[in-house]
Amino acid sequence: MKKQVKTINDSLVRVYGDILWIEENELRQSRFKDLTIKDMHAINAITMYDKKTASQVAKELHLTPGTLTSTINRLEKKDYVKRIRSSNDRRVIRLGLTKKGRLMYRAHDAFHRMMIDSFLKDVEPDEIKTIEKALRNLENFLREHS
Amino acid sequence: MKKQVKTINDSLVRVYGDILWIEENELRQSRFKDLTIKDMHAINAITMYDKKTASQVAKELHLTPGTLTSTINRLEKKDYVKRIRSSNDRRVIRLGLTKKGRLMYRAHDAFHRMMIDSFLKDVEPDEIKTIEKALRNLENFLREHS
DNA sequence: CTCATTTATTTTGATAATCAAAGTATGAAT
DNA sequence: ATTCATACTTTGATTATCAAAATAAATGAG
């Protein structure tokens, strides 16, 4: 019983470290060598879809506003991200991806999809429900602790 | 179907970011304020149990030998970790935790245990098998990609 | 309307983690 | 003995990060 918890925990810890490391390596061999994982995760948080504000993205990534600014500077200079000054409130910056940014976004997304597909290999639909339940549990736990 | 994969993926991404952030905050409020999360993860990798070599730990953490050296220097100075020169091969450094290090290890471990307990709340024994299967899938995927 | 306050972002200055590459010490093998 | 390999450390440079101060725009009270 106790042992099972430890095994699952160790597996999660290992998996997390390995994912970051593999993503870093794949990135270095790809056409997007000029990005770090952190850059990639910023692009992922910015998203192809909404036009989030800088503050929203900083919060999601748990970065201070200043750090986010410099992240955006970097990504703007490298032509992955663009700043869009909001017209109703001219203090706020909305963030969007350039063509190159969207390309990167899709590539990263494809990797994650592959990963989740393999995660769910041979997992039956009702078993997926179990996994979703456990993840919800975890998210609740984290919410209580923040 | 596609949607489910996306939901699970987003949840995992969110969860991992949040765990790091929460651990960082808890640490800052604890008696172990002098440690960063990275320090804590090094202590976790060093473990209370085996006496791993510096190389082993570096590999587990995906750090270069040089970086591990400076991590160990830091943690030794703060009295969490001790170096033990191996007697059969005097090039090898084995790593152990001090009393303070073991205290930290247990505290961190307790947090993880709580987390996994809540993850597995209302999850039946045979459902746990599902989760273990999915994690094994993921570890295999990661092994193929490294 | 104007001044004070709040909000969103940027700038600045300092620090810590990291890497690659060179260095040191030890061990292994021919 | 000499060379090669291994385990770790040192060095020098770079990058991500933060806290705090600065800027710029919006909001609200009178």
Side-chain angles (χ1 to χ4, degrees), chain A residues 5-6 11-12 16 33 37-38 45 47 59 61 69 81 83 88 101 110-111 113 118-120 125 128 139:
Chain A
V5 167
K6 175 126 190 78
S11 178
L12 284 170
Y16 181 49
K33 303 187 209 324
I37 309 187
K38 309 235 171 187
T47 273
K59 195 168 179 187
L61 295 173
T69 294
V81 166
R83 285 180 161 93
N88 12 338
F111 178 78
R113 215 189 316 274
S118 85
F119 180 62
L120 297 179
I128 292 185
E139 295 214 57

Side-chain angles (χ1 to χ4, degrees), chain B residues 55 66 69 83 91 93:
Chain B
S55 314
T69 293
R83 284 179 161 93
R91 290 169 304 179
I93 294 287

Side-chain angles (χ1 to χ4, degrees), chain B residues 52-55 84-87 89-94:
Chain B
K52 297 180 191 168
T53 67
S55 314
I84 306 156
R85 188 59 74 176
S86 161
S87 49
D89 184 341
R90 307 192 341 88
R91 290 169 304 179
V92 173
I93 294 287
R94 296 194 165 268

Side-chain angles (χ1 to χ4, degrees), chain B residues 34-47:
Chain B
D34 59 338
L35 296 176
T36 65
I37 309 187
K38 309 235 172 187
D39 289 335
M40 193 172 72
H41 286 143
I43 289 172
N44 189 245
I46 289 169
T47 272

